Amino acid sequence: MAEPQIYPEADANPVISIIKGVDRDVERGEDMLMLGYALVLSAPIFAPIAPPKVLLPLMALAFIVSVCRARLNFNAIKAKLAATMAKRQGFDFAILNPLLEVFAEHPKFSLSDGFNPVKNLKRTFKSLLGALMINPFWMPIFYALGLQFAEEKHFYVLNQAVIKLEQKTGLLERRSD
């Protein structure tokens, strides 16, 4: 079994290295979500050559792939942080409590629960209502968009925790120099 990755110790203080590494990984996760939006928003370019029965499922698939990759990245950040903290046991990581709280609280549900329309009646109802207003074939797209919003919320909360830590440690001031 492969050893879990850890954040490299680029600075003298391992907390600074961890915060920088988590920040980079959060940006990567946000980029994955933005790629999903970009792919769906670029779908009208292919409308003249692809019929709706092909294009609409591809739009939903773009959101689904984006959501799955973002969740994998979120879980990888959590595992990497835990492995880094376990590897450097002698150091006091109390300052990282905002990050640990985010990982303890989010995500509240697994992706299998998120993809189950019966367990998400509110999202299902909203998707159905939106689809009835536009086109019934849009329901999977709206449902996947709801999942995309949920993943974006996870990264937003994690990013806020990282920003709070950067302010505490003075990384933001050093970055602007």
Side-chain angles (χ1 to χ4, degrees):
M1 188 167 132
E3 187 176 312
Q5 291 184 347
I6 62 168
Y7 289 110
E9 199 168 325
D11 293 308
N13 188 348
V15 170
I16 302 296
S17 297
I18 290 172
I19 293 171
K20 286 180 179 179
V22 170
D23 190 29
R24 270 192 311 273
D25 288 345
V26 168
E27 287 175 9
R28 190 174 301 120
E30 290 172 338
D31 290 346
M32 289 176 201
L33 291 170
M34 286 301 123
L35 179 62
Y37 287 129
L39 289 173
V40 170
L41 289 175
S42 66
I45 295 170
F46 302 106
I49 55 174
K53 66 181 179 183
V54 172
L55 197 56
L56 293 177
L58 287 177
M59 290 169 63
L61 186 64
F63 277 141
I64 290 169
V65 169
S66 172
V67 163
C68 291
R69 289 295 305 157
R71 178 65 67 94
L72 285 173
N73 187 48
F74 191 87
N75 290 336
I77 295 170
K78 182 179 181 178
K80 209 171 177 182
L81 180 63
T84 303
M85 290 174 63
K87 185 114 178 161
R88 300 181 184 125
Q89 287 179 344
F91 197 80
D92 182 29
F93 290 109
I95 195 167
L96 296 177
N97 279 341
L99 285 178
L100 299 174
E101 290 171 3
V102 169
F103 286 123
E105 192 175 316
H106 294 281
K108 293 180 179 161
F109 303 103
S110 66
L111 275 181
S112 61
D113 289 341
F115 284 120
N116 189 346
V118 177
K119 290 186 178 182
N120 298 294
L121 293 176
K122 187 175 179 182
R123 183 181 301 139
T124 303
F125 176 73
K126 287 180 180 180
S127 302
L128 181 62
L129 186 63
L132 290 176
M133 293 172 75
I134 295 178
N135 184 340
F137 294 117
W138 278 70
M139 185 180 170
I141 296 169
F142 287 135
Y143 193 85
L145 182 62
L147 286 168
Q148 182 97 352
F149 289 157
E151 289 303 311
E152 191 172 348
K153 180 184 175 191
H154 295 150
F155 277 100
Y156 174 78
V157 171
L158 186 58
N159 195 23
Q160 292 301 311
V162 169
I163 289 171
K164 186 188 303 183
L165 288 174
E166 286 176 340
Q167 289 171 344
K168 255 188 206 178
T169 58
L171 275 175
L172 289 178
E173 290 81 29
R174 283 186 246 165
R175 202 184 280 175
S176 62
D177 290 342

